[in-house]
């Protein structure tokens, strides 16, 4: 029988975009009284364009937090850690280009588009 956290993990995989799990691992999930926090870590896969290069892992960028669609009136926050690699031949540090955050906001593009459709603007857009 699955634990409660395993059940939440299965459910969250049905709710979040499927392509997210092509590149990220679900490492933790917290369901609190008023919020849901999903912790994702980028898989150790070479970024596009660097498949033939010798890369060394250089850890992670500082985590970012993105607000996504609420679940049952509970705000959903995605805490994301993106990887960094060193291209050994050039000593250039590279990362995967991940563009799911709406420019100028701290929300996913889908959530920002949803709010724009309902409100006519995106909150906190600069």
């Amino acid at each position: 029988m699955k634990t409660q956290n395993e059940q939440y993990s299965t459910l969250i995989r049905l709710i979040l975009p499927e392509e997210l799990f092509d590149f990220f691992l679900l490492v933790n999930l917290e369901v609190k009284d008023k919020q849901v926090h999903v912790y994702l870590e980028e898989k150790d896969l070479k970024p596009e364009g660097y498949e033939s290069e010798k890369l060394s892992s250089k850890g992670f960028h500082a985590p970012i937090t993105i607000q996504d669609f609420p679940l049952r009136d509970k705000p959903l926050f995605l805490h994301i850690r993106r990887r960094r690699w060193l291209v050994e031949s050039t000593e250039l540090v590279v990362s995967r280009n991940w563009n799911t955050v709406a420019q100028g906001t701290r929300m996913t593009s889908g959530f920002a588009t949803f709010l724009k459709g309902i409100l006519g603007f995106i909150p906190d857009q600069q």
Side-chain angles (χ1 to χ4, degrees):
M1 182 169 217
K2 288 186 175 184
T3 66
Q4 185 175 18
N5 204 34
E6 288 172 330
Q7 291 172 343
Y8 285 150
S9 295
T10 300
L11 181 60
I12 210 72
R13 289 182 69 90
L14 294 172
I15 294 169
L16 294 176
E18 185 177 328
E19 62 272 8
L20 188 68
F21 298 101
D22 292 343
F23 298 103
F24 291 90
L25 296 171
L26 177 62
V27 294
N28 194 17
L29 178 70
E30 294 176 354
V31 179
K32 300 179 179 179
D33 290 337
K34 304 223 185 250
Q35 298 177 344
V36 178
H37 295 268
V38 177
Y39 296 86
L40 300 163
E41 191 171 276
E42 189 173 2
K43 293 179 179 179
D44 192 7
L45 303 171
K46 289 182 178 183
E48 187 175 322
Y50 295 94
E51 296 86 359
S52 63
E53 297 281 348
K54 182 165 172 67
L55 303 180
S56 299
S57 177
K58 286 298 175 188
F60 295 91
H61 291 282
I64 61 169
T65 301
I66 301 169
Q67 186 174 359
D68 202 355
F69 293 101
L71 298 176
R72 293 285 192 189
D73 298 325
K74 294 180 185 188
L76 172 63
F77 296 96
L78 306 176
H79 302 272
I80 299 171
R81 288 179 21 141
R82 294 180 50 222
R83 289 191 179 272
R84 299 180 312 167
W85 291 272
L86 176 71
V87 180
E88 292 191 8
S89 63
T90 64
E91 298 204 8
L92 177 69
V93 176
V94 296
S95 298
R96 182 177 293 9
N97 184 7
W98 191 65
N99 291 319
T100 59
V101 178
Q103 190 170 5
T105 71
R106 301 292 288 174
M107 300 171 212
T108 61
S109 298
F111 189 38
T113 301
F114 169 77
L115 289 177
K116 185 175 181 181
I118 291 177
L119 304 173
F121 67 95
I122 300 173
D124 297 324
Q125 187 172 21
Q126 299 183 16

